[in-house]
């Protein structure tokens, strides 16, 4: 038998073997899905006996319908046992994508949940942790029977990838939680009157406790100070002579640097920010083809943006939170004498901030 004939003889056998392997693998995966309740979203509330847990899973025996499991327990570590006690199939959290914690629990502290759930070795570091305004049970009950692509973790992921909100996952949370000189922050969710779960702000924690929630319009300012992917809209007032109006600056990219300086008067941190973008929805009496109008608009935008950024920095200091890692930045300029408690009690409140903003207008948002 020639080599060619031998290959012709073995090819059908090889193809059959591959098909058998694929079918068996598919059956194995199907059995895993069909014989377990795999939670993708988990909500935590306070209850009269301790804690209440609401989990969402897709029931593939019912065509992938989104279903609920709920349980109560005195300790966070017992919550999964309660879900399993009422379930006909094992409940798994290996594919958990979103953990929502009620605002009241977040104000009391996330440490019990970080210790019992977030440090589970089976949990992905890409898990998103969020705080809810209102009951997570009510929020998740609104999602019963919806399609999996409508679940809220898709909304959060989409806004992270598009640069609308800061990057947020379990890895970042644990890094900021256990690290010195920085505080964690997570998305803040709310069930709106239309029954949709939306991102309404960003929750800032001190250690493990919720201390401050910044509003949606402040999120972009926060991202600018972080120096991460800077995309979003900033409304600002514009005046020219007797005319007053509003324009919108659409930030497309940017960069940040910061510098620490010391003097006999104390320490000062200076932010140097460059933003590239375009102005849209501006009044008709502004003509961006005129260099004078472009300069007027740019100067007013830079001034107002600087004022808003300084106000946000002051807001963080007044609320004694440090989501920007100012303490860690200052620590890098000290050799051995930096102490976290002393810094936040003595140095942080007396820090002087300055912000320099440079705007580069790429193009206008309206074709004239």
């Amino acid at each position: 038998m020639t080599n060619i004939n031998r290959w012709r003889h073995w090819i059908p056998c090889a193809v059959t073997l591959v098909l058998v392997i694929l079918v068996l693998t598919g059956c194995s995966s199907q059995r895993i899905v069909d014989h377990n309740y795999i939670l993708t979203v988990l909500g935590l509330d306070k209850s009269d006996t301790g804690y209440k847990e609401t989990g969402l899973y897709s029931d593939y025996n019912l065509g992938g319908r989104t279903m609920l499991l709920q349980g109560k327990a005195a300790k966070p570590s017992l919550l999964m046992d309660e879900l399993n006690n009422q379930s006909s199939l094992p409940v798994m959290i290996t594919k958990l994508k979103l953990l929502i914690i009620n605002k009241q629990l977040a104000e009391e502290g996330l440490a019990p949940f970080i210790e019992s759930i977030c440090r589970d070795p089976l949990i992905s570091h890409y898990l998103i942790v969020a705080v809810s305004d209102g009951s997570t049970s009510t929020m998740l009950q609104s999602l019963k029977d919806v399609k999996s692509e409508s679940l809220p973790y898709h909304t959060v992921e989409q806004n992270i990838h598009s640069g609308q909100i800061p990057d947020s996952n379990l890895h970042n949370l644990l890094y900021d939680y256990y690290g010195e000189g920085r505080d964690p922050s997570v998305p803040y969710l709310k069930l709106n009157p239309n029954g949709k779960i939306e991102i309404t702000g960003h929750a800032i924690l001190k250690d493990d406790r919720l201390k401050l929630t910044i509003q949606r319009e402040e999120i972009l300012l926060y991202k600018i100070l972080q120096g991460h992917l800077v995309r979003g809209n900033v409304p600002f007032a514009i005046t020219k002579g007797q005319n007053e109006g509003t324009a919108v600056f659409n930030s497309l990219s940017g960069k940040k640097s910061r510098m620490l300086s010391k003097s006999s008067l104390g320490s000062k941190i200076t932010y140097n920010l460059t933003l590239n973008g375009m102005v849209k929805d501006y009044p008709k009496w502004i003509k961006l083809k005129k260099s004078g109008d472009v300069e007027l608009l740019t100067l007013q935008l830079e001034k107002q943006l600087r004022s808003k950024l300084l106000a946000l920095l002051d807001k963080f200091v007044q609320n004694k939170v440090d989501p920007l890692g100012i303490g860690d930045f200052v620590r890098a300029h000290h050799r051995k004498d930096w102490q976290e408690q002393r810094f936040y009690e003595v140095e942080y409140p007396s820090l002087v901030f300055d912000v320099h903003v440079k705007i580069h207008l790429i193009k206008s948002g309206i074709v004239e």
Side-chain angles (χ1 to χ4, degrees), residues 276-296:
N276 307 307
M278 62 183 182
V279 173
K280 56 185 182 180
D281 297 333
Y282 50 85
K284 292 182 178 180
W285 39 265
I286 289 290
K287 306 297 181 182
L288 291 183
K289 291 182 178 180
K290 296 182 179 180
S291 59
D293 279 11
V294 173
E295 184 179 359
L296 179 143

Side-chain angles (χ1 to χ4, degrees), residues 110-285:
L110 302 187
F113 313 110
I114 292 176
E115 296 294 328
S116 63
I117 298 176
C118 297
R119 292 182 64 184
D120 188 320
L122 298 178
I123 292 292
S124 169
H125 274 199
Y126 292 104
L127 167 71
I128 297 169
V129 179
V131 173
S132 72
D133 185 335
S135 165
T136 67
S137 175
T138 302
M139 181 178 287
L140 297 187
Q141 283 175 1
S142 71
L143 299 171
K144 188 176 180 180
D145 291 331
V146 304
K147 295 181 179 180
S148 60
E149 56 265 27
S150 300
L151 293 177
Y153 59 82
H154 291 299
T155 302
V156 179
E157 288 175 347
Q158 181 272 131
N159 278 272
I160 290 174
H161 294 156
S162 63
Q164 299 299 312
I165 64 173
D167 191 8
S168 182
N169 55 41
L170 182 59
H171 173 79
N172 294 338
L173 173 64
L174 295 180
Y175 178 77
D176 291 336
Y177 175 68
Y178 287 107
E180 288 188 312
R182 55 181 63 247
D183 291 324
S185 67
V186 298
Y188 193 76
L189 308 179
K190 185 177 182 178
L191 187 65
N192 68 23
N194 297 321
K196 298 290 186 180
I197 297 174
E198 63 177 341
I199 303 166
T200 60
H202 217 66
I204 312 297
L205 312 175
K206 185 63 182 178
D207 296 323
D208 69 324
R209 295 174 183 266
L210 175 63
K211 289 296 182 182
L212 173 68
T213 302
I214 60 174
Q215 303 306 307
R216 189 156 44 195
E217 57 270 18
E218 296 174 304
I219 292 179
L220 179 61
L221 302 175
Y222 175 39
K223 281 179 59 64
I224 290 173
L225 292 171
Q226 283 183 316
H228 295 165
L229 181 63
V230 182
R231 292 178 184 170
N233 295 318
V234 179
F236 66 101
I238 180 74
T239 60
K240 181 183 178 183
Q242 300 298 317
N243 295 314
E244 296 182 357
T246 302
V248 176
F249 173 67
N250 178 227
S251 177
L252 301 174
S253 64
K255 60 181 180 179
K256 175 213 76 175
S257 66
R258 58 182 176 181
M259 178 181 64
L260 174 67
S261 58
K262 297 181 180 180
S263 68
S264 58
L265 299 177
S267 298
K268 177 181 178 181
I269 292 181
T270 302
Y271 280 85
N272 293 295
L273 306 167
T274 302
L275 297 176
N276 307 307
M278 62 183 182
V279 173
K280 56 185 182 180
D281 297 333
Y282 50 85
K284 292 182 178 180
W285 39 265

Side-chain angles (χ1 to χ4, degrees), residues 102-113:
N102 175 261
K103 178 182 178 181
Q104 184 181 2
L105 286 181
E107 290 173 340
E108 295 178 1
L110 302 187
F113 313 110

Side-chain angles (χ1 to χ4, degrees), residues 286-318:
I286 289 290
K287 306 297 181 182
L288 291 183
K289 291 182 178 180
K290 296 182 179 180
S291 59
D293 279 11
V294 173
E295 184 179 359
L296 179 143
L297 186 146
T298 302
L299 289 174
Q300 292 190 30
L301 171 58
E302 290 174 346
K303 180 179 179 181
Q304 292 177 47
L305 195 52
R306 177 179 182 271
S307 177
K308 291 180 179 180
L309 291 168
L310 285 171
L312 184 59
L313 286 165
D314 182 65
K315 191 173 188 176
F316 290 154
V317 173
Q318 295 302 318

